[in-house]
Amino acid sequence: MADYKAPLRDMRFVLNEVFEVSRLWAQLPALANVVDEDTASTILEEAGKVIAGTIAPLNRSGDEQGCSWADGAVQTPKGFPEAYQTYAAGGWTSVGGDERFGGMGMPKVICAQVEEMLNSANLSFGLYPMLTAGACLSINAHASEELKAAYLPNMYAGVWAGSMCLTEPHAGTDLGIIRTRAEPQADGSYKVSGTKIFITGGEHDLTENIIHLVLARLPDAPPGPKGISLFLVPKFLVDANGALGARNSLSCGSIEHKMGIKASATCVMNFDGATGYIIDAPNKGLAAMFTMMNYERLGVGIQGLSLGERSYQNAVEYARDRIQSRAPTGPADPDKLADPIIVHPDVRRMLLTMKALNEGGRAFSSYVALQLDSAKFSEDAATRQRAQALVVLLTPVAKAFLTDMGLETTVHGQQIFGGHGFIREWGQEQLIRDCRITQIYEGTNGIQALDLLGRKVLGSGGAYYHLFADEIRQFTASVGADLMEFTQPLNDAVQTLDELTAWLLDRAASNPNEIGAASVEYLHVLGYTAYAYMWALMARTALQKQDQDVFYRTKLGTARFFFARLLPRVHSLAAAVRAGSESLFLLDADQF
């Protein structure tokens, strides 16, 4: 496997040249004195060094060793605890944390780049700080000042970790039917009892304490989602001075044996009257959880992108070195027995597909992160409202499309290796196994598609969609004829989406099956169109600078490949949407 190299040049291109993030930061008082282009560049460069040097070397050994469980204790693979301490000591567990409690206070668009590097290097390792960051978001947004002061500093410092305890054996997507109970106590605390499954980082040996956020029901809670509350339940109780006390009444019953991410502890957690503290008001648990969901779902999308990037780095190095057969036009290297496989059209098709999807995905994930930053930090109400609407629309696309494309990209990388890609030695098969979970957790991609089409697009009468479509049209109308090769097919894709949206608004009104039947294909049409918008933005910058550096000419060539070979996929997807739901219900259940 090739050594991981952080794609810093491309990250700087997206942030500084395409989106000009420093201009946005200068307009936001909350960020103006916190981050600028030089600060961001230093953060990314230093993060890249520690991640490539300390975290990436543990990826294969962590996969082979995995986590182990004995008597309720979980041991992570060799080297993980030491690497985690190094990572935390550098401040990398607090990049996006609130400065009041020891965080760096960086915007999400910077965090997104660090997350990509970390997950490319070692997804299993990256899950531990990711879950902690998600727990911190919910605590910071909804907990009392006392709980924030007691828990956030050590969580940001990496001394304590966090976990999110949602799923139960009978309740996955449908959290409204959870059974975990919380009994109020005279001192204002609660006793939490129940079993949670699939809990990432529920137990491990990386930190001295783990802070669980647990969804549970109060005794008088109404049924369904409106009766869920959120509780902070520490592994070790914390006294008034912040010191660790007795072990709480909770335990890890087992860990899962998984297809991938084997160095990430996926736990069954048992709460047996554990002491907990309510976050926000009673029966407001889902609202508190959804504060971090947009961040977490974008984060999972970035995981798909990350593994695609790692697969590409491995595959392109292999394709340059591996010699097999001759180029169709004759020997490219007559002095060798055969030519490197990068000369073959099909290998180039796969490499360019990987490159185009990775770089388009990096721009798109950064775009969504910028909307999160505007929604959080802007002092203008209209700007915040618009950015939040785009976040609502695009979050399910970011989670599902980035991970679907991530799996496609990792598979292409394996295919380029041929038989060597199927064996463990080269690492390509691990990337596929690790990537597969990204399409499943934080809401399966099918659920994301239903959310996009049913709630966000049709539920708003198309308003959220048209906000994004209008932005694209404003862009294409503002640029010159020199970008026509990109803007014309982009406009055509938006027109296709307009027609599909109107068609579904009409059909779904009389047949609710149309939403589920069309949702995945519709999400992919929107995903490819969003990537086309990103590629048109990147092409505008690259076209202006193509004489300065080969980097920009390479970017233009990749853009042209995307529009020629990948964007046309929207046509078959649109045809599938228009085929309707009838063919899905031609068979009775017993005919399957």
Side-chain angles (χ1 to χ4, degrees):
M1 180 186 288
D3 291 338
Y4 172 68
K5 298 179 180 64
L8 297 174
R9 178 67 182 89
D10 202 58
M11 289 177 174
R12 288 193 292 266
F13 170 73
V14 169
L15 297 181
N16 302 330
E17 300 179 65
V18 177
F19 293 126
E20 298 180 309
V21 291
S22 59
R23 293 179 59 184
L24 171 65
W25 296 333
Q27 297 167 9
L28 300 176
L31 294 176
N33 297 319
V34 174
V35 61
D36 56 23
E37 186 174 317
D38 289 341
T39 302
S41 180
T42 300
I43 288 173
L44 297 184
E45 185 172 344
E46 293 304 313
K49 289 178 182 177
V50 70
I51 288 168
T54 304
I55 313 301
L58 299 174
N59 190 45
R60 181 177 173 186
S61 62
D63 177 67
E64 292 178 343
Q65 184 179 347
C67 292
S68 60
W69 177 94
D71 298 325
V74 172
Q75 184 177 15
T76 57
K78 183 179 179 180
F80 268 52
E82 295 81 4
Y84 196 89
Q85 297 310 310
T86 299
Y87 191 73
W92 303 113
T93 51
S94 66
V95 175
D98 190 328
E99 291 179 287
R100 295 179 301 156
F101 302 104
M104 287 191 195
M106 289 297 112
K108 179 60 180 178
V109 75
I110 296 300
C111 298
Q113 315 309 314
V114 176
E115 289 170 18
E116 183 197 323
M117 290 187 279
L118 183 59
N119 292 322
S120 283
N122 192 327
L123 176 57
S124 287
F125 185 97
L127 283 165
Y128 296 104
M130 176 185 177
L131 267 295
T132 302
C136 287
L137 277 169
S138 288
I139 293 170
N140 198 30
H142 297 280
S144 67
E145 290 301 316
E146 291 77 12
L147 287 177
K148 293 179 190 179
Y151 289 92
L152 286 178
N154 279 328
M155 294 178 76
Y156 286 147
V159 178
W160 298 348
S163 86
M164 315 294 291
C165 300
L166 287 69
T167 304
E168 299 181 6
H170 65 285
T173 300
D174 190 0
L175 289 172
I177 61 173
I178 65 169
R179 296 172 184 158
T180 299
R181 311 290 294 179
E183 299 285 343
Q185 304 298 299
D187 64 357
S189 67
Y190 295 79
K191 294 297 184 184
V192 178
S193 300
T195 295
K196 300 288 185 177
I197 65 169
F198 300 156
I199 308 306
T200 301
E203 174 62 26
H204 54 73
D205 57 358
L206 304 180
T207 59
E208 65 181 28
N209 203 3
I210 302 172
I211 313 306
H212 305 283
L213 295 193
V214 185
L215 289 181
R217 291 186 175 281
L218 294 169
D220 59 351
K226 294 182 179 180
I228 298 176
S229 300
L230 182 64
F231 299 87
L232 185 157
V233 185
K235 175 181 175 180
F236 288 97
L237 299 175
V238 179
D239 69 20
N241 298 317
L244 296 185
R247 173 76 182 248
N248 210 345
S249 299
L250 59 89
S251 62
C252 175
S254 65
I255 59 174
E256 305 296 345
H257 302 281
K258 309 183 297 290
M259 173 181 177
I261 55 167
K262 295 183 177 182
S264 170
T266 304
C267 303
V268 174
M269 296 301 300
N270 298 314
F271 298 87
D272 301 302
T275 298
Y277 309 92
I278 196 165
I279 291 179
D280 209 324
N283 306 322
K284 299 294 184 182
L286 281 187
M289 290 299 298
F290 273 99
T291 294
M292 46 70 65
M293 277 299 181
N294 288 331
Y295 287 83
E296 292 293 282
R297 287 176 174 170
L298 173 60
V300 172
I302 290 170
Q303 293 174 7
L305 163 65
S306 301
L307 296 172
E309 171 65 27
R310 189 73 187 274
S311 183
Y312 173 75
Q313 291 189 17
N314 295 343
V316 73
E317 180 176 298
Y318 184 83
R320 288 171 176 153
D321 292 340
R322 174 71 167 173
I323 59 170
Q324 292 287 288
S325 305
R326 291 297 188 184
T329 53
D333 193 342
D335 294 333
K336 294 184 178 179
L337 294 176
D339 291 327
I341 62 172
I342 200 168
V343 304
H344 300 302
D346 188 53
V347 172
R348 297 176 71 87
R349 173 189 65 82
M350 290 186 283
L351 286 172
L352 278 165
T353 297
M354 299 168 77
K355 184 175 175 61
L357 292 176
N358 287 342
E359 294 176 14
R362 182 172 298 117
F364 179 61
S365 62
S366 299
Y367 174 87
V368 177
L370 283 169
Q371 306 311 313
L372 283 166
D373 289 336
S374 292
K376 179 178 180 180
F377 294 113
S378 177
E379 295 187 336
D380 178 69
T383 299
R384 290 198 307 272
Q385 184 178 11
R386 183 182 184 280
Q388 185 57 43
L390 287 172
V391 167
V392 166
L393 175 74
L394 296 176
T395 294
V397 183
K399 193 281 181 183
F401 194 71
L402 280 165
T403 57
D404 283 348
M405 295 304 101
L407 185 68
E408 176 179 341
T409 302
T410 57
V411 170
H412 281 315
Q414 182 187 49
Q415 191 73 16
I416 288 168
F417 276 76
H420 292 292
F422 196 69
I423 60 177
R424 294 181 64 82
E425 177 183 355
W426 294 88
Q428 292 298 86
E429 56 85 33
Q430 181 192 341
L431 297 176
I432 294 172
R433 289 187 288 104
D434 285 352
C435 191
R436 188 63 185 90
I437 188 58
T438 66
Q439 299 171 296
I440 297 171
Y441 57 19
E442 286 296 335
T444 65
N445 286 1
I447 294 296
Q448 301 300 322
L450 282 171
D451 178 50
L452 169 69
L453 184 55
R455 295 181 182 175
K456 309 304 174 53
V457 176
L458 303 186
S460 70
Y464 289 157
Y465 160 71
H466 287 296
L467 188 67
F468 186 55
D470 289 346
E471 177 182 320
I472 296 174
R473 287 197 175 91
Q474 289 170 13
F475 163 74
T476 58
S478 70
V479 297
D482 57 339
L483 275 178
M484 187 70 71
E485 63 176 305
F486 308 110
T487 56
Q488 185 59 58
L490 174 56
N491 281 332
D492 292 343
V494 174
Q495 180 63 34
T496 296
L497 266 174
D498 285 347
E499 295 169 358
L500 290 179
T501 303
W503 187 85
L504 286 165
L505 278 166
D506 177 66
R507 293 278 294 236
S510 58
N511 183 359
N513 281 329
E514 294 294 349
I515 298 174
S519 58
V520 170
E521 288 86 357
Y522 182 91
L523 184 146
H524 276 223
V525 174
L526 183 50
Y528 283 113
T529 303
Y531 275 31
Y533 179 32
M534 298 299 105
W535 271 112
L537 289 169
M538 291 189 285
R540 176 180 60 176
T541 301
L543 198 63
Q544 296 167 352
K545 300 181 178 183
Q546 61 181 318
D547 294 333
Q548 297 180 18
D549 194 301
V550 68
F551 173 88
Y552 300 106
R553 295 190 292 277
T554 302
K555 189 67 69 174
L556 275 176
T558 310
R560 288 175 174 129
F561 173 84
F562 177 87
F563 279 92
R565 297 296 297 261
L566 299 183
L567 185 59
R569 294 179 180 183
V570 301
H571 301 305
S572 62
L573 292 164
V577 170
R578 292 192 180 98
S581 63
E582 289 82 2
S583 63
L584 275 66
F585 293 90
L586 295 176
L587 304 184
D588 293 331
D590 59 4
Q591 291 180 273
F592 280 88

